[in-house]
Amino acid sequence: MVTTDGSTGSPAWRHAARTDLLAFARRSERPEGGFVWLDDAGEPDPDKNLELWINARMTYVFALAHLSGASDTLRLAEHGVRSLQTLFHDDEHGGWYDEVDVDGHTDDTDKRCYGHAHVLLAAATAVAAGAEGAQALLDEATDLHTHHFWEHESGRCVESLSRDWTQVDPYRGANSNMHTVEAYLVASDVTGDPVWHERALSICERIIGIHARSHGWRIPEHYDHDWTPVPEYNVESPADPFRPYGATPGHAFEWSRLLVQLAASLDEPRPWILEAAEALFAQAVEDTAEDDTPGLAYTTDWHGEPVVRERFHWVMAEAVLAAEALNTYTDSALYAGLASRWWSEIAEHFVDDATGSWHHELGPSMARSTRTWRGKPDAYHAFNALTLPDLPLSPSAALTIGGDIA
Protein backbone atom coordinates (compact mmCIF):
# COMPACT_ATOMS: atom_id res chain seq x y z
CA MET A 1 0.00 0.00 0.00
CA VAL A 2 1.29 3.49 -0.84
CA THR A 3 1.76 5.18 2.54
CA THR A 4 3.98 8.13 1.70
CA ASP A 5 2.93 11.64 2.65
CA GLY A 6 4.16 12.87 -0.72
CA SER A 7 1.58 14.29 -3.09
CA THR A 8 0.18 11.92 -5.73
CA GLY A 9 2.63 11.49 -8.59
CA SER A 10 5.55 13.14 -6.78
CA PRO A 11 8.95 11.42 -6.65
CA ALA A 12 8.29 10.33 -3.06
CA TRP A 13 4.87 8.94 -4.00
CA ARG A 14 6.35 7.10 -6.98
CA HIS A 15 9.10 5.63 -4.81
CA ALA A 16 6.57 4.21 -2.35
CA ALA A 17 4.36 2.89 -5.16
CA ARG A 18 7.40 1.38 -6.88
CA THR A 19 8.40 -0.40 -3.67
CA ASP A 20 4.91 -1.87 -3.32
CA LEU A 21 4.84 -2.93 -6.99
CA LEU A 22 8.20 -4.68 -6.70
CA ALA A 23 6.98 -6.58 -3.64
CA PHE A 24 4.09 -7.87 -5.75
CA ALA A 25 6.30 -8.59 -8.77
CA ARG A 26 8.68 -10.71 -6.69
CA ARG A 27 5.83 -13.19 -6.23
CA SER A 28 6.10 -14.12 -9.91
CA GLU A 29 9.44 -15.87 -9.38
CA ARG A 30 9.21 -19.59 -10.08
CA PRO A 31 12.03 -21.35 -8.18
CA GLU A 32 12.44 -23.96 -10.92
CA GLY A 33 12.92 -21.22 -13.52
CA GLY A 34 11.02 -18.36 -15.10
CA PHE A 35 8.34 -15.95 -13.97
CA VAL A 36 4.69 -17.03 -13.82
CA TRP A 37 1.47 -15.28 -14.81
CA LEU A 38 -0.04 -13.90 -11.58
CA ASP A 39 -3.75 -13.62 -10.84
CA ASP A 40 -5.41 -10.63 -9.15
CA ALA A 41 -4.32 -11.80 -5.71
CA GLY A 42 -0.73 -12.40 -6.77
CA GLU A 43 -0.97 -16.18 -6.98
CA PRO A 44 0.23 -18.22 -9.98
CA ASP A 45 -2.50 -18.76 -12.58
CA PRO A 46 -2.53 -22.57 -13.05
CA ASP A 47 -4.04 -22.31 -16.52
CA LYS A 48 -1.21 -20.22 -17.95
CA ASN A 49 2.05 -21.47 -19.41
CA LEU A 50 5.28 -19.49 -19.16
CA GLU A 51 5.24 -16.57 -21.63
CA LEU A 52 8.36 -15.14 -23.26
CA TRP A 53 7.14 -11.53 -23.19
CA ILE A 54 6.38 -11.73 -19.47
CA ASN A 55 9.68 -13.38 -18.62
CA ALA A 56 11.70 -10.90 -20.67
CA ARG A 57 9.80 -7.94 -19.22
CA MET A 58 10.21 -9.15 -15.65
CA THR A 59 13.93 -9.63 -16.25
CA TYR A 60 14.07 -6.05 -17.51
CA VAL A 61 12.06 -4.76 -14.52
CA PHE A 62 14.35 -6.39 -11.98
CA ALA A 63 17.48 -5.25 -13.82
CA LEU A 64 16.19 -1.66 -13.94
CA ALA A 65 15.16 -1.95 -10.28
CA HIS A 66 18.72 -2.93 -9.38
CA LEU A 67 20.06 0.07 -11.30
CA SER A 68 17.67 2.30 -9.37
CA GLY A 69 18.87 0.99 -6.03
CA ALA A 70 16.28 -1.63 -5.04
CA SER A 71 17.58 -4.50 -2.94
CA ASP A 72 17.51 -8.19 -3.94
CA THR A 73 16.65 -7.44 -7.56
CA LEU A 74 19.96 -8.30 -9.26
CA ARG A 75 19.39 -11.90 -8.14
CA LEU A 76 15.97 -11.85 -9.80
CA ALA A 77 17.36 -10.31 -12.99
CA GLU A 78 19.93 -13.11 -13.13
CA HIS A 79 17.14 -15.64 -12.52
CA GLY A 80 15.42 -14.19 -15.57
CA VAL A 81 18.56 -14.30 -17.69
CA ARG A 82 19.05 -18.00 -16.85
CA SER A 83 15.43 -18.76 -17.69
CA LEU A 84 15.74 -17.09 -21.10
CA GLN A 85 18.93 -19.05 -21.76
CA THR A 86 17.37 -22.39 -20.82
CA LEU A 87 13.58 -22.78 -20.62
CA PHE A 88 12.73 -20.57 -23.60
CA HIS A 89 15.79 -21.11 -25.76
CA ASP A 90 15.74 -23.09 -29.00
CA ASP A 91 19.06 -24.90 -28.72
CA GLU A 92 18.88 -26.26 -32.27
CA HIS A 93 18.09 -23.14 -34.30
CA GLY A 94 18.69 -20.32 -31.83
CA GLY A 95 16.26 -17.74 -30.59
CA TRP A 96 13.39 -18.06 -28.13
CA TYR A 97 10.00 -19.71 -28.08
CA ASP A 98 7.00 -17.49 -27.34
CA GLU A 99 5.43 -19.88 -24.83
CA VAL A 100 6.59 -23.03 -23.02
CA ASP A 101 5.16 -25.32 -20.38
CA VAL A 102 6.90 -25.83 -17.05
CA ASP A 103 9.19 -28.44 -18.64
CA GLY A 104 10.20 -26.15 -21.49
CA HIS A 105 8.05 -27.90 -24.12
CA THR A 106 6.13 -25.93 -26.75
CA ASP A 107 3.74 -26.50 -29.62
CA ASP A 108 4.30 -23.00 -31.05
CA THR A 109 7.75 -22.79 -32.55
CA ASP A 110 7.56 -19.60 -34.62
CA LYS A 111 10.06 -16.87 -33.72
CA ARG A 112 8.35 -13.52 -33.19
CA CYS A 113 9.82 -10.05 -33.22
CA TYR A 114 7.65 -8.91 -30.30
CA GLY A 115 9.15 -11.40 -27.84
CA HIS A 116 12.66 -11.09 -29.25
CA ALA A 117 12.52 -7.30 -28.89
CA HIS A 118 11.76 -7.75 -25.19
CA VAL A 119 14.60 -10.25 -24.85
CA LEU A 120 16.95 -7.67 -26.39
CA LEU A 121 15.69 -4.97 -24.01
CA ALA A 122 16.04 -7.30 -21.02
CA ALA A 123 19.52 -8.44 -22.04
CA ALA A 124 20.86 -4.93 -22.62
CA THR A 125 19.45 -3.66 -19.32
CA ALA A 126 20.76 -6.73 -17.50
CA VAL A 127 24.24 -6.08 -18.95
CA ALA A 128 24.05 -2.52 -17.63
CA ALA A 129 23.05 -3.93 -14.25
CA GLY A 130 26.01 -6.34 -14.23
CA ALA A 131 23.90 -9.49 -14.29
CA GLU A 132 25.79 -12.73 -14.74
CA GLY A 133 25.23 -14.29 -18.18
CA ALA A 134 23.60 -11.18 -19.63
CA GLN A 135 26.37 -10.43 -22.13
CA ALA A 136 25.96 -13.78 -23.88
CA LEU A 137 22.20 -13.21 -24.00
CA LEU A 138 22.73 -9.76 -25.49
CA ASP A 139 25.19 -11.09 -28.06
CA GLU A 140 22.69 -13.64 -29.34
CA ALA A 141 19.78 -11.18 -29.31
CA THR A 142 21.67 -8.56 -31.34
CA ASP A 143 22.87 -11.20 -33.80
CA LEU A 144 19.35 -12.54 -34.38
CA HIS A 145 17.91 -9.08 -34.88
CA THR A 146 20.62 -8.27 -37.41
CA HIS A 147 20.38 -11.47 -39.42
CA HIS A 148 16.69 -12.36 -39.19
CA PHE A 149 14.34 -9.63 -38.01
CA TRP A 150 15.91 -6.54 -39.53
CA GLU A 151 14.66 -5.97 -43.09
CA HIS A 152 17.18 -3.73 -44.86
CA GLU A 153 14.91 -2.98 -47.82
CA SER A 154 12.09 -1.55 -45.71
CA GLY A 155 14.17 -0.18 -42.85
CA ARG A 156 11.94 -1.98 -40.35
CA CYS A 157 11.56 -5.40 -38.76
CA VAL A 158 9.56 -8.36 -40.00
CA GLU A 159 6.97 -9.78 -37.62
CA SER A 160 7.73 -13.49 -37.36
CA LEU A 161 9.63 -16.36 -38.91
CA SER A 162 9.50 -20.12 -38.81
CA ARG A 163 11.51 -21.99 -36.21
CA ASP A 164 14.44 -22.54 -38.62
CA TRP A 165 14.28 -18.90 -39.84
CA THR A 166 13.54 -19.88 -43.45
CA GLN A 167 9.89 -18.78 -43.78
CA VAL A 168 8.79 -15.19 -43.18
CA ASP A 169 5.20 -14.33 -42.17
CA PRO A 170 3.72 -11.79 -44.65
CA TYR A 171 2.09 -9.80 -41.83
CA ARG A 172 3.97 -6.69 -40.68
CA GLY A 173 3.16 -4.93 -37.41
CA ALA A 174 3.80 -1.56 -35.80
CA ASN A 175 3.56 -2.87 -32.23
CA SER A 176 6.57 -5.17 -32.45
CA ASN A 177 8.56 -2.45 -34.22
CA MET A 178 7.68 0.03 -31.48
CA HIS A 179 9.09 -2.26 -28.80
CA THR A 180 12.07 -2.85 -31.05
CA VAL A 181 12.76 0.91 -31.06
CA GLU A 182 12.84 0.85 -27.26
CA ALA A 183 15.20 -2.13 -27.26
CA TYR A 184 17.45 -0.67 -29.96
CA LEU A 185 17.88 2.62 -28.09
CA VAL A 186 19.05 0.81 -24.98
CA ALA A 187 21.15 -1.68 -26.97
CA SER A 188 22.95 1.15 -28.75
CA ASP A 189 23.88 2.83 -25.49
CA VAL A 190 24.96 -0.38 -23.78
CA THR A 191 26.99 -1.75 -26.70
CA GLY A 192 28.27 1.57 -28.02
CA ASP A 193 27.30 0.51 -31.53
CA PRO A 194 25.50 3.39 -33.32
CA VAL A 195 23.81 1.03 -35.79
CA TRP A 196 21.04 0.42 -33.26
CA HIS A 197 20.28 4.13 -32.97
CA GLU A 198 20.29 4.34 -36.77
CA ARG A 199 17.81 1.48 -37.03
CA ALA A 200 15.57 2.93 -34.31
CA LEU A 201 15.50 6.21 -36.23
CA SER A 202 14.74 4.35 -39.48
CA ILE A 203 11.72 2.59 -37.92
CA CYS A 204 10.41 5.88 -36.50
CA GLU A 205 10.89 7.72 -39.79
CA ARG A 206 8.79 5.19 -41.68
CA ILE A 207 6.04 4.13 -39.28
CA ILE A 208 5.57 7.53 -37.67
CA GLY A 209 7.07 10.04 -40.10
CA ILE A 210 5.29 8.50 -43.10
CA HIS A 211 2.33 6.33 -42.06
CA ALA A 212 1.14 8.06 -38.88
CA ARG A 213 1.57 11.51 -40.44
CA SER A 214 -0.47 10.52 -43.50
CA HIS A 215 -3.25 9.12 -41.28
CA GLY A 216 -3.78 12.26 -39.20
CA TRP A 217 -1.39 11.05 -36.47
CA ARG A 218 -3.45 7.93 -35.82
CA ILE A 219 -0.99 5.09 -36.24
CA PRO A 220 -1.79 2.23 -38.64
CA GLU A 221 -0.95 -0.88 -36.63
CA HIS A 222 -1.27 -3.59 -39.29
CA TYR A 223 0.40 -3.98 -42.71
CA ASP A 224 0.83 -6.51 -45.47
CA HIS A 225 4.14 -7.87 -46.74
CA ASP A 226 5.17 -4.65 -48.53
CA TRP A 227 4.13 -2.35 -45.67
CA THR A 228 0.80 -1.29 -47.14
CA PRO A 229 -1.56 -0.47 -44.23
CA VAL A 230 -4.51 -2.83 -43.67
CA PRO A 231 -6.93 -0.51 -41.81
CA GLU A 232 -9.75 -3.06 -41.40
CA TYR A 233 -7.50 -5.75 -39.92
CA ASN A 234 -9.26 -7.61 -37.06
CA VAL A 235 -12.44 -5.54 -37.42
CA GLU A 236 -14.31 -8.62 -36.16
CA SER A 237 -11.99 -8.92 -33.14
CA PRO A 238 -11.61 -5.34 -31.92
CA ALA A 239 -10.42 -6.15 -28.38
CA ASP A 240 -7.54 -8.43 -29.36
CA PRO A 241 -4.76 -7.97 -26.76
CA PHE A 242 -1.96 -7.67 -29.31
CA ARG A 243 -3.58 -6.95 -32.70
CA PRO A 244 -6.75 -4.91 -32.12
CA TYR A 245 -8.71 -3.24 -34.86
CA GLY A 246 -8.28 0.48 -35.48
CA ALA A 247 -5.99 2.98 -33.82
CA THR A 248 -4.48 2.33 -30.39
CA PRO A 249 -4.01 5.65 -28.55
CA GLY A 250 -1.90 3.99 -25.88
CA HIS A 251 0.65 3.18 -28.57
CA ALA A 252 0.57 6.80 -29.75
CA PHE A 253 1.56 7.84 -26.23
CA GLU A 254 4.25 5.13 -26.18
CA TRP A 255 5.69 6.19 -29.53
CA SER A 256 5.59 9.81 -28.33
CA ARG A 257 7.69 8.95 -25.29
CA LEU A 258 10.15 6.94 -27.38
CA LEU A 259 10.51 9.80 -29.87
CA VAL A 260 11.39 12.16 -27.03
CA GLN A 261 13.97 9.66 -25.78
CA LEU A 262 15.34 9.34 -29.32
CA ALA A 263 15.62 13.13 -29.63
CA ALA A 264 17.35 13.35 -26.24
CA SER A 265 19.92 10.78 -27.32
CA LEU A 266 20.94 12.68 -30.48
CA ASP A 267 23.44 15.55 -30.58
CA GLU A 268 21.39 17.28 -33.27
CA PRO A 269 17.85 15.86 -33.24
CA ARG A 270 15.85 16.37 -36.41
CA PRO A 271 12.97 18.85 -35.95
CA TRP A 272 10.35 16.37 -37.16
CA ILE A 273 10.98 14.07 -34.18
CA LEU A 274 9.60 16.46 -31.56
CA GLU A 275 6.90 17.63 -33.97
CA ALA A 276 5.74 14.03 -34.35
CA ALA A 277 5.95 13.32 -30.61
CA GLU A 278 3.71 16.29 -29.84
CA ALA A 279 1.30 15.57 -32.69
CA LEU A 280 0.84 11.92 -31.68
CA PHE A 281 0.26 12.97 -28.10
CA ALA A 282 -2.23 15.70 -29.03
CA GLN A 283 -4.29 13.40 -31.28
CA ALA A 284 -4.40 10.64 -28.66
CA VAL A 285 -5.57 13.12 -26.03
CA GLU A 286 -8.24 14.49 -28.37
CA ASP A 287 -9.50 10.97 -29.12
CA THR A 288 -9.56 9.55 -25.60
CA ALA A 289 -9.38 12.10 -22.78
CA GLU A 290 -12.97 12.88 -21.79
CA ASP A 291 -13.64 15.71 -19.35
CA ASP A 292 -16.07 13.77 -17.18
CA THR A 293 -14.72 10.22 -17.46
CA PRO A 294 -11.44 9.02 -15.96
CA GLY A 295 -9.10 6.74 -17.86
CA LEU A 296 -8.40 6.41 -21.58
CA ALA A 297 -10.06 4.11 -24.13
CA TYR A 298 -8.13 1.16 -25.56
CA THR A 299 -8.93 1.70 -29.26
CA THR A 300 -10.67 4.08 -31.65
CA ASP A 301 -11.79 3.95 -35.25
CA TRP A 302 -10.10 6.05 -37.95
CA HIS A 303 -12.26 9.07 -37.06
CA GLY A 304 -11.25 9.01 -33.41
CA GLU A 305 -14.45 7.45 -32.07
CA PRO A 306 -13.80 4.92 -29.28
CA VAL A 307 -14.32 1.28 -30.27
CA VAL A 308 -13.10 -0.59 -27.17
CA ARG A 309 -13.84 1.65 -24.21
CA GLU A 310 -12.14 -0.48 -21.56
CA ARG A 311 -9.41 1.31 -19.63
CA PHE A 312 -6.09 -0.55 -19.51
CA HIS A 313 -3.37 0.12 -16.95
CA TRP A 314 -0.68 0.16 -19.63
CA VAL A 315 -2.44 2.93 -21.56
CA MET A 316 -2.47 5.11 -18.44
CA ALA A 317 1.18 4.26 -17.76
CA GLU A 318 2.26 5.25 -21.25
CA ALA A 319 0.11 8.41 -21.25
CA VAL A 320 1.63 9.70 -18.05
CA LEU A 321 5.13 8.70 -19.20
CA ALA A 322 4.70 10.63 -22.45
CA ALA A 323 3.37 13.66 -20.58
CA GLU A 324 6.29 13.55 -18.15
CA ALA A 325 8.82 13.17 -20.98
CA LEU A 326 7.34 16.00 -23.04
CA ASN A 327 7.16 18.22 -19.97
CA THR A 328 10.84 17.57 -19.25
CA TYR A 329 11.83 18.23 -22.86
CA THR A 330 9.61 21.28 -23.50
CA ASP A 331 8.84 22.64 -20.01
CA SER A 332 5.22 23.10 -21.07
CA ALA A 333 2.48 23.55 -18.48
CA LEU A 334 0.11 21.59 -20.76
CA TYR A 335 2.03 18.36 -20.26
CA ALA A 336 2.55 18.97 -16.55
CA GLY A 337 -1.20 19.44 -16.09
CA LEU A 338 -2.11 16.25 -17.92
CA ALA A 339 0.54 14.29 -16.02
CA SER A 340 -0.95 15.52 -12.74
CA ARG A 341 -4.45 14.55 -13.83
CA TRP A 342 -3.41 11.07 -14.92
CA TRP A 343 -1.36 10.39 -11.80
CA SER A 344 -4.46 11.22 -9.76
CA GLU A 345 -6.58 8.84 -11.84
CA ILE A 346 -3.96 6.11 -11.55
CA ALA A 347 -3.84 6.51 -7.77
CA GLU A 348 -7.61 6.55 -7.39
CA HIS A 349 -8.61 3.83 -9.84
CA PHE A 350 -5.68 1.68 -10.94
CA VAL A 351 -3.37 1.19 -7.96
CA ASP A 352 -4.58 -1.81 -5.98
CA ASP A 353 -3.82 -0.88 -2.37
CA ALA A 354 -4.43 -4.47 -1.26
CA THR A 355 -1.61 -5.91 -3.36
CA GLY A 356 0.57 -2.99 -4.51
CA SER A 357 0.04 -3.92 -8.15
CA TRP A 358 -2.19 -2.10 -10.66
CA HIS A 359 -5.54 -3.31 -11.94
CA HIS A 360 -4.83 -4.29 -15.53
CA GLU A 361 -8.26 -3.59 -17.03
CA LEU A 362 -11.25 -1.51 -15.96
CA GLY A 363 -14.54 -0.88 -17.72
CA PRO A 364 -15.74 2.60 -18.70
CA SER A 365 -17.40 2.87 -15.28
CA MET A 366 -13.98 2.08 -13.74
CA ALA A 367 -15.15 -1.28 -12.39
CA ARG A 368 -12.84 -4.25 -12.92
CA SER A 369 -13.14 -5.96 -16.31
CA THR A 370 -11.66 -9.07 -17.94
CA ARG A 371 -12.78 -8.52 -21.54
CA THR A 372 -9.18 -8.68 -22.77
CA TRP A 373 -6.92 -9.38 -19.76
CA ARG A 374 -7.26 -11.42 -16.62
CA GLY A 375 -5.00 -11.25 -13.62
CA LYS A 376 -1.88 -9.10 -13.24
CA PRO A 377 0.81 -10.74 -15.36
CA ASP A 378 2.93 -7.72 -16.18
CA ALA A 379 4.78 -5.13 -14.06
CA TYR A 380 6.68 -3.58 -16.99
CA HIS A 381 4.43 -0.64 -17.91
CA ALA A 382 3.62 0.32 -14.32
CA PHE A 383 7.24 0.03 -13.21
CA ASN A 384 8.38 2.18 -16.12
CA ALA A 385 5.79 4.81 -15.23
CA LEU A 386 6.96 4.86 -11.63
CA THR A 387 10.68 4.87 -12.50
CA LEU A 388 11.51 6.61 -15.77
CA PRO A 389 10.25 10.12 -14.83
CA ASP A 390 12.99 10.23 -12.19
CA LEU A 391 15.76 9.29 -14.64
CA PRO A 392 17.41 11.29 -17.42
CA LEU A 393 15.62 11.07 -20.77
CA SER A 394 18.65 9.59 -22.50
CA PRO A 395 18.69 5.78 -22.11
CA SER A 396 22.48 5.79 -21.69
CA ALA A 397 22.31 8.24 -18.80
CA ALA A 398 19.42 6.37 -17.22
CA LEU A 399 21.20 3.03 -17.35
CA THR A 400 24.34 4.31 -15.62
CA ILE A 401 22.71 6.39 -12.90
CA GLY A 402 22.98 3.83 -10.10
CA GLY A 403 21.85 4.39 -6.53
CA ASP A 404 18.40 5.05 -5.12
CA ILE A 405 16.43 7.44 -7.31
CA ALA A 406 13.89 8.47 -4.68
Side-chain angles (χ1 to χ4, degrees):
M1 180 176 180
V2 179
T3 57
T4 178
D5 293 330
S7 60
T8 300
S10 69
W13 184 92
R14 287 195 293 264
H15 179 269
R18 188 166 60 246
T19 300
D20 291 346
L21 179 62
L22 279 174
F24 182 90
R26 285 184 175 93
R27 302 177 69 172
S28 67
E29 179 187 11
R30 177 175 173 268
E32 302 86 353
F35 298 104
V36 299
W37 185 300
L38 295 177
D39 65 16
D40 283 332
E43 298 298 326
D45 188 325
D47 296 327
K48 294 290 188 180
N49 282 330
L50 300 173
E51 303 263 4
L52 178 62
W53 62 278
I54 292 175
N55 279 259
R57 284 181 173 186
M58 294 304 290
T59 303
Y60 161 78
V61 163
F62 289 122
L64 184 59
H66 173 73
L67 286 164
S68 65
S71 61
D72 191 39
T73 49
L74 180 60
R75 177 188 67 81
L76 289 164
E78 291 176 337
H79 173 85
V81 168
R82 287 192 299 273
S83 300
L84 293 171
Q85 291 173 323
T86 54
L87 276 171
F88 289 92
H89 192 257
D90 180 352
D91 292 338
E92 181 178 359
H93 296 286
W96 298 275
Y97 299 124
D98 252 24
E99 178 181 336
V100 298
D101 65 20
V102 294
D103 297 315
H105 299 145
T106 184
D107 295 323
D108 181 5
T109 58
D110 284 350
K111 307 293 173 55
R112 295 183 175 87
C113 183
Y114 185 87
H116 283 68
H118 284 100
V119 172
L120 178 55
L121 175 67
T125 310
V127 167
E132 183 178 354
Q135 186 60 57
L137 187 67
L138 178 59
D139 290 343
E140 181 172 5
T142 53
D143 180 73
L144 292 176
H145 267 268
T146 294
H147 291 103
H148 297 298
F149 290 107
W150 182 252
E151 190 175 55
H152 290 277
E153 297 79 7
S154 71
R156 285 159 286 195
C157 288
V158 300
E159 185 71 14
S160 67
L161 301 97
S162 58
R163 180 189 176 192
D164 63 1
W165 308 105
T166 60
Q167 303 296 315
V168 181
D169 189 325
Y171 172 88
R172 302 287 186 267
N175 188 9
S176 61
N177 274 268
M178 177 187 69
H179 284 290
T180 298
V181 168
E182 180 180 34
Y184 282 5
L185 290 176
V186 177
S188 183
D189 289 330
V190 170
T191 65
D193 188 343
V195 70
W196 302 109
H197 263 89
E198 294 165 6
R199 290 176 181 175
L201 177 60
S202 173
I203 294 171
C204 292
E205 285 176 333
R206 288 157 174 80
I207 292 180
I208 302 304
I210 296 174
H211 291 298
R213 183 186 296 273
S214 65
H215 285 77
W217 299 110
R218 297 185 183 101
I219 305 166
E221 295 280 345
H222 313 293
Y223 303 81
D224 66 13
H225 70 283
D226 65 356
W227 285 97
T228 299
V230 185
E232 298 304 301
Y233 188 94
N234 256 353
V235 68
E236 302 301 326
S237 183
D240 189 274
F242 294 107
R243 296 185 183 183
Y245 159 74
T248 310
H251 286 162
F253 291 124
E254 200 163 354
W255 279 102
S256 179
R257 185 256 299 183
L258 291 171
L259 287 167
V260 174
Q261 290 183 343
L262 175 61
S265 70
L266 299 173
D267 293 332
E268 297 182 5
R270 302 174 188 182
W272 76 265
I273 297 177
L274 184 59
E275 173 203 355
E278 294 196 284
L280 288 171
F281 185 95
Q283 190 61 62
V285 169
E286 180 180 330
D287 289 347
T288 61
E290 303 173 55
D291 291 338
D292 57 351
T293 305
L296 302 161
Y298 177 37
T299 65
T300 73
D301 65 17
W302 297 108
H303 301 288
E305 292 298 318
V307 174
V308 178
R309 293 179 177 270
E310 274 70 17
R311 272 69 171 139
F312 291 175
H313 89 292
W314 72 262
V315 176
M316 294 298 294
E318 291 302 333
V320 78
L321 267 177
E324 293 277 9
L326 283 164
N327 179 50
T328 298
Y329 204 69
T330 68
D331 196 27
S332 167
L334 167 66
Y335 301 121
L338 284 168
S340 178
R341 169 186 169 175
W342 290 332
W343 278 124
S344 295
E345 292 178 1
I346 287 169
E348 180 176 357
H349 298 287
F350 286 90
V351 175
D352 180 1
D353 288 336
T355 66
S357 184
W358 292 17
H359 299 300
H360 273 40
E361 180 178 347
L362 303 175
S365 67
M366 307 310 287
R368 283 167 53 188
S369 171
T370 56
R371 179 179 180 181
T372 298
W373 293 105
R374 83 180 195 200
K376 298 172 180 172
D378 177 20
Y380 154 85
H381 286 286
F383 190 79
N384 270 349
L386 295 168
T387 305
L388 297 186
D390 299 314
L391 300 178
L393 286 174
S394 169
S396 59
L399 290 174
T400 58
I401 190 169
D404 198 325
I405 61 175

